[in-house]
């Protein structure tokens, strides 16, 4: 497990925030990943092009980052196949029902002082903390 | 065309931010959520940095009024708290807490850990498509779906 790295966390977070700011300043759109992906999965529209391009940038980021000399951080996924499927279904469905995810509500929504986003973020953070408490400490998984 | 190019560059920046911050690593996300275990507070710094810069960008965007490449800003205007928002966020929280992955990091690590990331992303896409089967009455009939993000 990585140790506590406040500086790279703050720097990386600022890059995420800069990305959200630039998408708003340039394209006038909110950088909510679940909204962008969910929109892309709907029928094609005038929004399809930029959504696909944004997600392509996201997917290619590790290659560009490593290619330009950055050392990729450790990425560890311990979850079993069924757990990945269940979690993926919940995240996809929940993000659409709740109209946003960590980026749309957490970064963009809180950034503009939205009450809905503040409450959504508080809710999913609290529930995620409880979920980890139950799975790691009460069930001992 | 310019909008597509800028979206690509901005998506790239978002992904690099996730990698640099540690947010792309599910083990680190779970360590942040594990407040009663060996708590790693890093992600609070990620959120602080991201929200601060995003908030500054929002203020500039509002003052300018018109985005550089688009006719207007598309910013959610809803203020009501409906059950969908809370139930959706809660379901999202369970999924996030089970594996430590949310949509952005899952897409970003597709090339780093292809098998688990692709499994999660495929299930996530199915979950998003399942949402389209939910009758509008339990969703947001007025403002449209996915209105906040």
């Amino acid at each position: 497990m990585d140790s506590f790295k406040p500086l790279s966390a703050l720097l990386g977070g600022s890059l995420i925030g800069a990305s959200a700011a630039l998408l708003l300043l340039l394209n006038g759109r909110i950088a909510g990943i679940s909204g962008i992906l969910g929109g892309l999965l709907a029928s094609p529209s005038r929004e399809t092009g930029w959504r696909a391009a944004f997600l392509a940038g996201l997917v290619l980021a590790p290659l560009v980052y490593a290619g330009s000399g950055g050392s990729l951080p450790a990425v560890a996924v311990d979850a079993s196949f069924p757990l990945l499927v269940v979690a993926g279904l919940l995240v996809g469905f929940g993000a659409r029902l709740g109209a946003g995810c960590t980026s749309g509500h957490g970064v963009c929504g809180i950034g503009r002082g939205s009450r809905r986003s503040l409450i959504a973020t508080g809710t999913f953070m609290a529930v995620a903390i409880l979920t980890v408490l139950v799975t790691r400490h009460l069930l001992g998984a | 065309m310019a909008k597509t190019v800028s979206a690509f560059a901005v998506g790239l920046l978002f992904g690099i931010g996730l990698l640099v911050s540690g947010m792309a690593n599910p083990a680190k996300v779970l360590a942040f959520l594990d407040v009663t275990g060996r708590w790693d507070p890093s992600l609070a710094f990620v959120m602080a940095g991201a929200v601060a810069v995003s908030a500054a960008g929002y203020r500039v965007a509002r003052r300018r009024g018109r985005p550089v490449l688009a006719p207007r800003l598309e910013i959610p205007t809803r203020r009501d708290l409906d059950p969908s928002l809370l139930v959706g966020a809660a379901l999202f929280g369970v999924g996030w807490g089970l594996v430590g992955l949310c949509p952005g990091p899952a897409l970003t690590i597709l090339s780093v850990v292809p098998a688990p990331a692709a499994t999660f992303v495929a299930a996530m896409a199915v979950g998003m498509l399942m949402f389209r089967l939910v009758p509008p009455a339990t969703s947001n009939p007025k403002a449209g779906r996915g209105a906040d993000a």
Side-chain angles (χ1 to χ4, degrees), chain A residues 32-75:
Chain A
I33 311 298
S34 58
I36 293 173
L37 180 59
L40 199 60
L41 292 172
S43 47
S45 72
R46 295 179 56 206
E47 310 287 310
T48 300
W50 78 265
R51 285 177 173 148
F54 182 94
L55 296 184
L58 203 57
V59 170
L60 291 174
L63 308 175
V64 172
Y65 183 62
S68 58
S71 62
L72 282 180
V75 173

Side-chain angles (χ1 to χ4, degrees), chain B residues 110-134:
Chain B
L110 271 172
S111 67
V112 185
V113 282
T119 304
F120 182 90
V121 167
M124 181 171 82
V126 171
M128 288 180 169
L129 292 170
M130 281 164 67
F131 166 71
R132 293 164 60 78
L133 304 173
V134 175

